[in-house]
Amino acid sequence: MPPRSEEPRRDATGSRRGSSRGTEHREPGVGGISDARAYTPRGRTIREGGGAARTGGGAEQRRTPRSSRSGDPFRPALQVLDGGRTGATRAGRRETAAGGRAGVVRTVSAKPVREPFDDDEEPAPRRRPGPRRPARQAAARRPVRKPRRPPKLADPRRRLRLGTLLVLALFTTIGIRLVFLQTVSTPAYADGGLASRLAVVELPAPRGAIYDRTGAPLAHSVEARYVFADPTLVKNPTATARLLSPLLGIPVSELADRMKPRILPGTTTPSRFVYLARGVEIAKAKQIMALDLAGVGVHRDEKREVPGGDLAANLIGFVSQDMNGLEGLEAKYDDMLEGKAGRKRYEVGQGDLAAPIPGGYSQTTPAQPGSSLELTIDRDLQFKTQRILSDGMARTRGSVGAAVVIEVGTGDVLAQASFPTYNAADPTKVNSPADREDAATSFIVDPGSIHKAITYGAALQEGVITPDTAFPVANTITKGDTTFRDTHPANGQKMSIPGMLAFSSNVGTIEIADKLGPDRLIDYQKRFGLGQPTGEGMPGEAGGRLLPADQWSDSSYGSVPIGHSVDATPLQMAAAYAAIANDGRYVQPHLIRNVIAPDGKKTPGAAPVTRSVLSPANAAALRRMLEAVTTVDGPDGRATGLAAAVPGYRVAGKTGTGLRYDNGKLQPGEVGSFIGMAPAEKPRYVVAVFVWSPGGEGGAVAAPAFREIMGFTLRHYRVPPSATDKSPKFEVFPH
């Protein structure tokens, strides 16, 4: 047999002819000895994977590769190197017939590729060593295995639908829960922890002011600060008090005592708050804050300022440190003057900052400032009246005085002064609480001879007397067990009505009252406003007292007509004379001119009560007769009221000497008084002055004080002097 050539033969197509070992078909780009290890689908060489093998006697026998019995872990990587094609898709291996001739090429089905998930497949059993069988016979005996299908995975669409249902169910559950929380359980959850997160700040409401008739402030509130201490945080009370004392004007010992730790009464809790000072000026409060004292702080406060000090203090009154009215108009109209505090509630963060939470809960109730009062008082006239009264009272000791100025026709009280007075900004500095009382409405006296104008007015109106009436007047008259005398005896002469008024005849007045009778006299006393409070507006105003006719004793027929056994206040008597000046029409005196709302709108005060007491003719006749009191001065005697005459003006009025009772006990001394009107021909103003003095000096003070007060009032309001400086001529003892 000729030797076998190692160079493969080529057929007509240029394909290499395999040697007796077999023929291998190569893909383009794959060939040569360098890639002798061509890879099968399982990553094995042809030799290993069962390619052509040498056989004895020219017969070809397939050899089962050892590596085919188990999975090859390198197969996936080798697939990538091989272009990603598996051995199953390559050209099949061609087996040549025995003897190395080029026969018909047939493709041998490759062994199914083991996938990674086939690792659980049992490896093929190893063959026992023995004689090799021809490849054709081995291939015939080994059954062709079908490639295993990969396990069927779950349908992704089913997974998507299931997941969608689960998500929808979850969101539906959450939505139902949210609706329940927002509608059913909202209040419980919202309020559950709200209290611990809320801060409450009180918004103070300014107290209304008190103005005079011109709009000048008599009392008003200004912003201030209060200084407080937490005794549990104050490290050294004494040292702290030494620093605060010069700024607060409070003794060191008092401040140190306030800052000492103490237990709240009835508890075991230590006190955490104590006032050190109220109404501190803002500038001083800033100085205190600059000291940065442990346990000491300041906060917003309100301070009541009284610009005039004692100006109308007995009238206005004062307030407490908490801005509550305690006396005077401040107490009477406290509900109107005090504002309604507001409140702001808001959520704050935790920690030391405690700052408001932006967008958090916030509720604000605005503060409502108090309304203000506009009084009928004229500040300038009030000041002058107080000054004149106090100057006159300086000549007396332990005395009480009152002065009232009323505008005729309107009933406006233009001035209402009291003595003694006090500084309303510091009401504690008084000798006695009685010094803070308003004497014009609380000073109850026997009016004395000023009451005679009521008796003569009633007699004129009832026709008991006329302006021309005259009759003999004795020096004395006895009623019951009391004898009444005149200070200017007539000695039985015929005396005119103006003469009786000028000399203040007790005997003549009692005789006229006998003709009038007690019932009619009491009726006119009530018409003139006696026996009940005037309702001027002052708190605690005394009403006085009238003696009922059925309680009159025999002496009452003599005492009541001349102003004894009658209790009245200076204001009541001033209002009675204002009725005479107002053509016989009584007008209730009042202090409140307007109520000013916080928005500035003015509401007039309640309309005064009015009623007719005398006819205009009788009122004019009575005024003319009362002029005799300030004008009669001749050989027959001097009138009792000459000291009250106002130069340039005609004045009608009456002097009085009465008694004072305190808690039913007669007090020593006398009450001197004078009430008059001017100009007498057409009165514009009524002035009343009352002075009680233990030494009886009241009469010497009242008339001169009236003259000065009335003179200033007429000039202040620019009232022209009387048309004639001469008053009518009065004949005291007509022939």
Side-chain angles (χ1 to χ4, degrees), residues 210-231:
I210 299 178
Y211 302 102
D212 80 333
R213 66 189 296 116
T214 66
L218 299 176
H220 64 107
S221 296
V222 295
E223 185 178 353
R225 298 290 184 268
Y226 66 77
V227 182
F228 67 94
D230 183 346

Side-chain angles (χ1 to χ4, degrees), residues 32 163 166 296 328 335 376 451-452 513 518 680 685 698:
L166 291 175
V296 176
D335 293 340
T376 58
H451 181 274
K452 293 175 180 177
Y685 307 101

Side-chain angles (χ1 to χ4, degrees), residues 538-665:
M538 287 297 295
E541 180 185 2
R545 184 180 66 88
L546 296 177
L547 188 63
D550 57 358
Q551 297 181 15
W552 280 28
S553 63
D554 292 339
S555 61
S556 299
Y557 287 88
S559 61
V560 172
I562 62 175
H564 294 284
S565 299
V566 178
D567 293 339
T569 65
L571 181 63
Q572 287 176 325
M573 296 306 301
Y577 273 72
I580 299 172
N582 192 35
D583 289 335
R585 188 165 191 83
Y586 177 88
V587 179
Q588 176 190 18
H590 54 277
L591 284 169
I592 308 303
R593 191 181 190 191
N594 290 300
V595 176
I596 306 175
D599 60 359
K601 183 180 179 180
K602 291 185 178 183
T603 302
V609 176
T610 63
R611 57 180 173 268
S612 178
V613 181
L614 303 176
S615 67
N618 287 326
L622 183 56
R623 289 197 303 269
R624 186 177 181 275
M625 291 188 293
L626 287 172
E627 285 190 71
V629 178
T630 62
T631 59
V632 172
D633 184 11
D636 297 330
R638 293 170 56 90
T640 59
L642 291 179
V646 179
Y649 295 91
R650 293 169 57 183
V651 176
K654 185 70 182 75
T655 57
T657 302
L659 303 175
R660 182 190 180 192
Y661 291 87
D662 188 7
N663 294 326
K665 295 182 179 180

Side-chain angles (χ1 to χ4, degrees), residues 177-195:
R177 182 60 177 168
L178 287 175
V179 171
F180 180 80
L181 293 176
Q182 292 292 331
T183 57
V184 179
S185 303
T186 298
Y189 284 98
D191 298 339
L194 189 60

Side-chain angles (χ1 to χ4, degrees), residues 339-402:
K340 187 176 182 180
R343 178 174 295 182
K344 182 177 182 180
R345 305 173 69 210
Y346 58 92
E347 283 186 280
V348 296
Q350 296 182 353
D352 296 335
L353 182 59
I357 299 176
Y361 173 82
S362 179
Q363 183 184 38
T364 301
T365 303
Q368 299 179 6
S371 297
S372 298
L373 296 178
E374 181 181 293
L375 305 184
T376 58
I377 296 296
D378 184 319
R379 182 181 61 172
D380 294 338
L381 181 58
Q382 177 74 25
F383 173 80
K384 191 65 175 180
T385 301
Q386 285 187 210
R387 178 63 61 85
I388 294 171
L389 181 63
S390 62
D391 289 346
M393 301 296 290
R395 299 193 296 267
T396 64
R397 294 181 180 180
S399 55
V400 177

Side-chain angles (χ1 to χ4, degrees), residues 225 247 280-291 298:
R225 298 290 184 268
L247 297 174
V280 178
E281 295 179 359
I282 296 178
K284 289 186 178 180
K286 290 182 178 179
Q287 296 179 30
I288 294 173
M289 293 176 64
L291 295 176
V298 300

Side-chain angles (χ1 to χ4, degrees), residues 39-42 79 82 85-93 107-113 147:
Y39 290 95
T40 66
R42 297 194 62 84
Q79 286 180 359
D82 197 30
R85 295 183 296 276
T86 62
T89 61
R90 290 193 223 161
R93 274 62 172 175
T107 303
V108 180
S109 61
K111 184 177 180 178
V113 180

